[in-house]
Amino acid sequence: EAGVAQSPRYKIIEKRQSVAFWCNPISGHATLYWYQQILGQGPKLLIQFQNNGVVDDSQLPKDRFSAERLKGVDSTLKIQPAKLEDSAVYLCASSLDRAWRNTEAFFGQGTRLTVV
Amino acid sequence: QKEVEQDPGPLSVPEGAIVSLNCTYSNSAFQYFMWYRQYSRKGPELLMYTYSSGNKEDGRFTAQVDKSSKYISLFIRDSQPSDSATYLCAMRYNAGNMLTFGGGTRLMVKP
């Protein structure tokens, strides 16, 4: 079974530039998450999708971050404009269904963003 | 106060030692508890998943949950150098699947 695919693996941009990350979840997984992991910290949820609808985006800085999952499969996360404090690893995860009590969330390898 | 607290370490142990990793949490609404292992430059992978208070064993790993004390632990027996990684505790409420993570404990097992 193929895992969660993310690209690019690494990205370096200057502050105030824009950047986009892509995620392809495990086939058949209805729920998709984007997490931000700052160095030395645990992942923090940015947004959760159920199919192509947003379930939770309460911690997404909406003035600069946006995410979409138009066809309910792959997803993109965009930052515009980037700030220095956005330097982090952006992790995508997917699970079968949020309503199932015992579903496991599988993570991709992440995109490491450095803002200079 | 963070919802989930975890000692960042690093924790350095000799090969073969028993390792104890711990998390405390403040919200009694958390019902599901997980431990993830994260190797350097990789995404987290699920190690253990527990729901009720008590112990759950899987090979060299034992997860322990004490809901009354809001305290969870992961024990690793006969630790190996390949266990060197960051261990993240995570938990979620009954509904939905949003995970709240601790900050992670970095473990180093020396040959």
Side-chain angles (χ1 to χ4, degrees), chain A residues 6 15 18 20 31-32 47 52 56 60-61 64 68 79 82 87 102 111 116:
Chain A
Q6 288 189 249
K15 59 183 179 183
S18 62
T31 308
L32 184 147
I47 189 167
N52 60 352
D56 186 343
L60 187 73
R64 297 183 302 105
E68 60 183 15
I79 307 174
S87 295
N102 295 320
T111 295
V116 298

Side-chain angles (χ1 to χ4, degrees), chain A residues 18-96:
Chain A
S18 62
V19 64
F21 313 127
W22 175 81
C23 172
N24 190 19
I26 293 173
S27 177
H29 280 196
T31 308
L32 184 147
Y33 318 79
W34 283 102
Y35 283 85
Q36 179 194 57
Q37 186 174 24
I38 293 172
L39 185 65
Q41 299 182 19
K44 182 187 82 171
L45 181 72
L46 292 174
I47 189 167
Q48 177 182 345
F49 291 95
Q50 177 73 6
N51 296 310
N52 60 352
V54 175
V55 173
D56 186 343
D57 64 355
S58 57
Q59 298 191 83
L60 187 73
K62 297 180 186 64
D63 57 335
R64 297 183 302 105
F65 286 65
S66 64
E68 60 183 15
R69 194 185 183 199
L70 292 176
K71 297 182 179 179
V73 181
D74 54 354
S75 175
T76 55
L77 175 69
K78 297 179 182 178
I79 307 174
Q80 182 180 10
K83 293 185 176 181
L84 295 177
E85 59 260 35
D86 298 331
S87 295
V89 175
Y90 291 84
L91 294 162
C92 179
S94 70
S95 62
L96 271 171

Side-chain angles (χ1 to χ4, degrees), chain A residues 33 37 45 101 109 112, chain B residues 32 38 42 49 92 97:
Chain A
Y33 318 79
Q37 186 174 24
L45 181 72
R101 287 172 56 179
Q109 294 197 77
R112 183 176 297 271
Chain B
Y32 298 86
Q38 186 173 27
K42 300 288 187 183
Y49 178 103
R92 59 181 175 91
N97 222 10

